[in-house]
């Protein structure tokens, strides 16, 4: 769920920055839009596979607690467990995010606000600021205790939300997989109708099913790709990435000509190749030295390097200099 939320955040940022006038509402109502789309997605998977989207991706299913009737995953969850699962998957994280943002905003306002005589609203905000860290610590501790009990085999629930929903997780069995195949084959073998409405409905159902499969596959691949991007750009991995991407500084090129710096002309207006006053001043971009155009052109074309430093050079590195008239 964190990765899909990251995917939504990336899409929101890209759209809002590309056209803030048209897509600015995505920033203001992102949590509500995301929760609505997540509700539709999770309801579809809970009804068809008895699991949330991420649980089905890892071949898991939800089993109702205290229900003696054996159900295949393709039958979906009972009504009570179905809606309680949706409540735990959608509503609880939504409320938690809103409370976290409210706490951050009120704390920032309290730090920079001018302290006037307190009103009832101000006292309520102060009580919330004082109590929420302890409530949040108790919430996180509740989850930590369940995870520890699950690790040591003392409970069937790795999350207290599963216990509240009245379900537990289990792996899909071969019988569940066969039930999925039988359900899909029975839909494909359903009797065809001769009416136009029936044909349109069947065609729309097939197109919708194909789109759902394509979307599921694309989302699965995209989630892994975005998870890689999240890891790549995380601050904790910057040192590792720099060490992998950075190359050692190459040694300076060895001078391949007999001309040394000591042999350079003392006057800056003299060409170091012909030792005459320069004509048509031309600089070599790879080293910065200036020569006569004819001298530099002939030497670089023959040796493909700077005559002073030995740096590799090509004819396109010659830059004509146009000096102002004296």
């Amino acid at each position: 769920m964190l990765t899909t939320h990251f995917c939504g955040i990336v899409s929101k940022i890209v759209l809002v920055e590309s056209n803030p006038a048209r897509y600015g509402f995505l920033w203001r109502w992102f949590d509500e839009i995301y929760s609505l789309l997540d509700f539709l997605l999770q309801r579809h998977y809970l009804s068809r596979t008895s699991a949330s989207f991420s649980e089905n991706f890892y071949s898991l299913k939800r089993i109702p607690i205290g229900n003696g009737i054996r159900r295949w995953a393709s039958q979906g969850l009972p009504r009570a467990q179905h809606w309680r699962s949706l409540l735990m998957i959608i509503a609880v994280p939504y409320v938690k995010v809103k409370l976290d943002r409210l706490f951050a905003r009120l704390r920032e306002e309290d730090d920079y606000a001018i302290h006037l005589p307190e009103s009832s609203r101000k006292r309520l905000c102060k009580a919330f600021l004082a109590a929420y860290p302890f409530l949040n610590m108790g919430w996180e501790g509740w989850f930590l205790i369940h995870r520890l009990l699950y690790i040591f085999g003392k409970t069937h629930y790795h999350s207290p939300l599963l216990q509240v929903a009245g379900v537990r997780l289990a792996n899909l069995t071969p019988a569940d997989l066969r039930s999925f195949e039988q359900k899909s084959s029975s839909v494909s073998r359903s009797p065809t109708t001769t009416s136009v409405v029936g044909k349109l409905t069947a065609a729309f159902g097939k197109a919708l099913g194909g789109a759902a499969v394509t979307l599921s596959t694309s989302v699965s691949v995209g989630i892994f790709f975005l998870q890689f991007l999240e890891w790549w750009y995380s601050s904790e991995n910057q040192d590792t990435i720099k060490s992998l991407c950075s190359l050692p500084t190459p040694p300076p090129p060895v001078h391949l000509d007999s001309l040394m710096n000591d042999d350079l002309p003392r006057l800056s207006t003299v060409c170091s190749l012909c030792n005459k006053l320069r004509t048509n001043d031309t600089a070599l971009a790879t080293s910065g030295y200036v020569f006569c155009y004819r001298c530099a052109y002939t030497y670089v074309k023959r040796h493909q390097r700077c005559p002073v430093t030995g740096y590799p050079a090509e004819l396109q590195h010659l830059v004509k200099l146009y000096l102002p008239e004296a």
Side-chain angles (χ1 to χ4, degrees), residues 15 62 282:
L15 289 175
R62 295 188 172 212
T282 301

Side-chain angles (χ1 to χ4, degrees), residues 22-48:
R22 177 177 296 181
Y23 302 110
F25 70 95
L26 291 176
W27 189 272
R28 296 188 298 271
W29 299 100
F30 172 74
D31 292 330
E32 288 72 19
I33 296 174
Y34 174 82
S35 298
L36 176 61
L37 296 177
D38 195 26
F39 170 79
L40 297 176
L41 177 69
Q42 303 298 351
R43 185 175 181 273
H44 171 79
Y45 273 87
L46 286 172
S47 302
R48 303 294 180 88

Side-chain angles (χ1 to χ4, degrees), residues 274-292:
C274 64
N275 290 321
K276 297 179 181 178
L277 193 65
R278 287 196 307 265
T279 57
N280 292 332
D281 293 2
T282 301
L284 191 56
T286 56
S287 63
Y289 283 94
V290 182
F291 313 91
C292 299

Side-chain angles (χ1 to χ4, degrees), residues 33-91:
I33 296 174
Y34 174 82
S35 298
L36 176 61
L37 296 177
D38 195 26
F39 170 79
L40 297 176
L41 177 69
Q42 303 298 351
R43 185 175 181 273
H44 171 79
Y45 273 87
L46 286 172
S47 302
R48 303 294 180 88
T49 65
S50 300
S52 66
F53 172 77
S54 56
E55 291 164 356
N56 177 258
F57 183 80
Y58 291 104
S59 300
L60 297 174
K61 66 176 180 178
R62 295 188 172 212
I63 299 178
I65 300 171
N67 190 346
I69 302 175
R70 187 173 183 179
R71 301 173 64 92
W72 306 123
S74 59
Q75 295 177 301
L77 291 172
R79 185 179 181 84
Q81 283 82 0
H82 175 85
W83 288 106
R84 274 192 284 177
S85 296
L86 279 176
L87 186 67
M88 295 300 106
I89 294 173
I90 307 298

